[in-house]
Amino acid sequence: GVTLPGCSTHELRSPEEFMEFYHEGDQRRVVTATAMNPESSRGHTALVVRIESVPLEDELSGTIRGKITFIDLAGYERFSKTGISNANPIMKDEAKTINASLLSLGHVVTALSNGDKHIPWRNSKLTRLLQDSIGGRSRTTIILTVGPSSDHLHESTNTLQFGMRAMAVKVQAKVSMTVDYEKLATKLQALLDEKEARISDLEIQAAANDAERQELLDRHRRDQEELEARHAEEIERARLEGATPEQLLNMQRGL
């Protein structure tokens, strides 16, 4: 990743916390008066918001990760117009750094709009920071500011030409989703254990039902044998008491 000295990362849980850190960051912006601007930014301002979303209904579907990058670019500075001179070496170095990074950004946008195979992302930290935003997988919005005065015709023309090249860049936004496979494996194992426990319970219940069914069959068989034995005793008693053969036959038939 890109290392930005002086920048900090914070995990926020509410809109109120976000606005608190936003205002704190805004107060840290460094501005200085020049001949063209009473509050000229002495560097680019970046705010990167990373968002993670985990569906509560289906944790196994993965984590959706998003990133919103806000960049307030400092304007290109011509020493002849801003009044910056060797008498103020710090502001001059700041202006050189700003101009160099803007030039690198212009080269990247030109390469992207031309469909070049090599994109000079590594020429500056600014382009490396914006690589995810203008590299073709994100939705990108660029707001251009130009001055109405003819004194700034050259700067306004360059700005508009930059915007036209940026519009020619082909982008296709894609959802970035990652899966915690360790968590997924644990969740699937828990579901598997739950299913196996359920199957075991059903097998025990089925075995109990089979035992109950067998007991009912055995009871029915014993009752049937008891009835048959009692019937045989009644026939034998009738024979001893002198029943006729026809009466005995009818008793055997159950009449």
Side-chain angles (χ1 to χ4, degrees), residues 157-176:
T157 301
N158 287 339
T159 299
L160 294 175
Q161 288 176 345
F162 169 81
M164 293 180 64
R165 291 195 300 271
M167 290 177 62
V169 177
K170 304 297 182 182
V171 296
Q172 184 176 1
K174 294 183 180 180
V175 176
S176 177

Side-chain angles (χ1 to χ4, degrees), residues 6-154:
C7 291
S8 58
T9 301
H10 304 273
E11 183 174 343
L12 308 179
R13 297 289 184 178
S14 67
E16 292 75 18
E17 288 183 349
F18 174 82
M19 293 306 301
E20 178 182 347
F21 280 100
Y22 170 79
H23 290 304
E24 180 180 341
D26 187 54
Q27 292 174 359
R28 293 183 180 182
R29 296 182 61 188
V30 179
V31 296
T32 305
T34 66
M36 292 186 63
N37 189 346
E39 293 185 353
S40 175
S41 298
R42 307 320 302 154
H44 309 303
T45 302
L47 171 62
V48 180
V49 181
R50 300 180 185 273
I51 303 172
E52 293 187 0
S53 175
V54 180
L56 298 178
E57 299 80 7
D58 184 12
E59 296 182 357
L60 301 183
S61 61
T63 300
I64 299 176
R65 303 181 188 276
K67 183 174 73 171
I68 306 175
T69 302
F70 299 93
I71 300 289
D72 181 11
L73 297 176
Y76 187 86
E77 296 191 347
R78 287 182 174 273
F79 296 148
S80 59
K81 290 187 176 182
T82 59
I84 298 175
S85 64
N86 293 330
N88 195 329
I90 295 179
M91 291 185 64
K92 190 170 184 179
D93 288 341
E94 291 171 343
K96 288 181 179 179
T97 302
I98 291 172
N99 293 346
S101 62
L102 291 176
L103 183 62
S104 296
L105 178 59
H107 290 162
V108 165
V109 171
T110 298
L112 288 171
S113 63
N114 292 336
D116 295 348
K117 292 184 178 180
H118 172 69
I119 309 298
W121 297 110
R122 303 184 66 84
N123 285 1
S124 77
K125 288 188 176 182
L126 175 63
T127 52
R128 291 174 63 188
L129 183 64
L130 287 173
Q131 184 171 354
D132 291 342
S133 301
I134 59 178
R137 294 189 57 186
S138 303
R139 292 182 179 178
T140 306
T141 299
I142 300 177
I143 300 176
L144 306 176
T145 58
V146 296
S149 173
S150 59
D151 293 339
H152 309 308
L153 177 61
H154 179 75

